Amino acid sequence: MDRFMSLIFLFFGLCISSSKVLCQFHYVDLKLNWSDAQHYCRDKYDDLATIQSMEDIIQLNNRVRVSGKAWIGLSDDPNSWFKVMGIDANSWRWSETGETSQNGYQNWFSIAPDNMYFEYCVGIDGTATWNDVNCDALLSFVCYTETGGLKTYVHISTPLSWPDARDYCRENYKDLALIESEDENTNAYRAKKSPLAAWIGLYRVPWAWSDNSSSSFTNWISGEPNGENEYCVAENPGHLWADVNCAAKLPFICQEDPEVKSVIRMEFRTGAYMTDPAINTQLLAQLDVELKRYGLPQTKLRWKIQPKKQKNKEPQSIGGS
């Protein structure tokens, strides 16, 4: 009851903006780890810098002078993918649905996933457990079909890369194996008929921005990303990117969204746990559909995240030691 009553009086802010206007970038010459830099930007501006086009790079060139490395908002937080079937932009998801597991089922090998060699696709091994593997590796694979809610798994012995295996399964079956229970995992393993690893339909898209958006645009330095335990990104004076240990203390670039037209504050009367990211995502999706019905196709919705009050101890940074 207490939680329900507190939600009645809890207000959330949403920013509605047009994607046609470029955001403003602000260089902060204060050395902090990535998490603390994120908190600072969210407190003083909107967030750590999100860079999703050459227009943003041009904007950075015009406004920001970086003398060395500086944090931007890109990271690959292991809390989103290490033995977690989460809902973040860089979490694991199934090829068939493009979404995470509906029930959270997972069956990782004891030390997997470890992203040792940029491993963003998954194979089932000789012990029926899962391992992350570089998507370009050539493995046999398990496809599946479904009839009346019952999945049937088929092993294809021809070694292919994960994208090619996915395309083959989609053309000839339903998709690469979708596995969401212990029984289904056992059936996929038995279909494999080989002690060697075989692709299943699990994959992820690495690197997400601080606002949990993703983008195909990249601006890496040649040879980057390259580091083990380097899950945050900094840019150099030429605005090229490198992966860096998140505990490193660097200056950083914040962004401010000047195109905000209005802030809507809403009161939600619900017994749901409103700080649950899954509920927040569903709510934004529903609001986006309604706004498009009223002729606002260029709007962009996101939660305005209020900074947490700092306690009297050093905050932990993601990926840090």
Side-chain angles (χ1 to χ4, degrees):
M1 183 64 178
D2 289 340
R3 187 183 71 178
F4 177 74
M5 292 299 292
S6 67
L7 286 171
I8 289 177
F9 298 101
L10 185 61
F11 289 81
F12 291 86
L14 291 173
C15 294
I16 301 178
S17 60
S18 167
S19 60
K20 294 181 179 179
V21 182
L22 294 176
C23 63
Q24 295 178 356
F25 295 111
H26 302 271
Y27 177 72
V28 180
D29 192 13
L30 177 65
K31 292 185 178 181
L32 299 175
N33 63 42
W34 192 92
S35 289
D36 289 349
Q38 180 191 54
H39 174 82
Y40 182 100
C41 289
R42 288 177 171 178
D43 186 19
K44 305 295 184 182
Y45 299 100
D46 282 324
D47 213 327
L48 272 169
T50 296
I51 304 166
Q52 296 189 329
S53 69
M54 283 307 301
E55 287 182 315
D56 288 335
I57 298 295
I58 293 171
Q59 180 83 339
L60 281 167
N61 277 322
N62 291 337
R63 296 187 58 89
V64 175
R65 295 291 180 267
V66 179
S67 58
K69 290 181 178 178
W71 292 127
I72 58 175
L74 197 62
S75 71
D76 196 23
D77 189 352
N79 290 326
S80 299
W81 54 262
F82 181 71
K83 298 188 183 299
V84 172
M85 302 293 284
I87 63 169
D88 294 334
N90 60 327
S91 297
W92 296 105
R93 55 200 69 246
W94 291 101
S95 174
E96 165 61 18
T97 63
E99 297 177 354
T100 188
S101 172
Q102 296 298 308
N103 57 13
Y105 176 76
Q106 53 190 318
N107 194 44
W108 296 104
F109 180 65
S110 59
I111 60 173
D114 59 9
N115 193 33
M116 183 65 70
Y117 302 106
F118 310 108
E119 298 166 334
Y120 309 133
C121 297
V122 176
I124 184 169
D125 64 19
T127 61
T129 54
W130 304 348
N131 272 292
D132 54 331
V133 182
N134 187 294
C135 301
D136 292 331
L138 301 180
L139 303 179
S140 66
F141 50 99
V142 181
C143 303
Y144 91 104
T145 59
E146 186 171 9
T147 304
L150 180 64
K151 296 185 180 72
T152 301
Y153 298 95
V154 180
H155 179 241
I156 308 299
S157 60
T158 304
L160 294 177
S161 67
W162 189 92
D164 288 345
R166 175 201 57 200
D167 293 346
Y168 180 95
C169 289
R170 288 179 174 178
E171 182 177 349
N172 295 280
Y173 298 93
K174 188 175 180 66
D175 209 315
L176 276 169
L178 170 64
I179 302 172
E180 294 194 300
S181 72
E182 188 66 35
D183 286 343
E184 291 180 357
N185 194 66
T186 299
N187 290 338
Y189 169 71
R190 288 174 176 171
K192 186 165 66 73
K193 299 178 182 178
S194 170
L196 301 177
W199 292 126
I200 59 175
L202 200 61
Y203 75 102
R204 73 183 186 91
V205 178
W207 306 107
W209 294 100
S210 181
D211 62 4
N212 203 35
S213 64
S214 59
S215 172
S216 59
F217 177 79
T218 60
N219 203 39
W220 297 105
I221 297 171
S222 178
E224 299 283 350
N226 65 357
E228 184 179 353
N229 199 34
E230 295 180 337
Y231 299 121
C232 295
V233 175
E235 69 163 35
N236 68 11
H239 306 295
L240 297 170
W241 308 345
D243 55 337
V244 179
N245 189 296
C246 301
K249 294 189 175 182
L250 302 174
F252 48 95
I253 302 171
C254 300
Q255 77 173 40
E256 185 176 17
D257 203 349
E259 69 269 23
V260 173
K261 303 301 182 183
S262 61
V263 175
I264 299 176
R265 298 188 181 276
M266 297 182 179
E267 177 179 336
F268 294 94
R269 298 177 180 268
T270 176
Y273 186 49
M274 287 302 299
T275 55
D276 185 340
I279 294 175
N280 292 347
T281 299
Q282 292 174 4
L283 188 57
L284 288 186
Q286 292 172 6
L287 286 170
D288 187 56
V289 170
E290 291 300 315
L291 287 171
K292 285 181 171 58
R293 288 176 58 189
Y294 287 94
L296 297 171
Q298 297 299 322
T299 58
K300 177 176 64 178
L301 299 179
R302 63 182 174 84
W303 290 103
K304 175 67 176 179
I305 302 172
Q306 297 298 325
K308 296 179 180 179
K309 293 183 178 180
Q310 296 293 299
K311 298 181 180 179
N312 294 325
K313 63 178 182 178
E314 184 72 18
Q316 299 295 314
S317 61
I318 65 172
S321 56

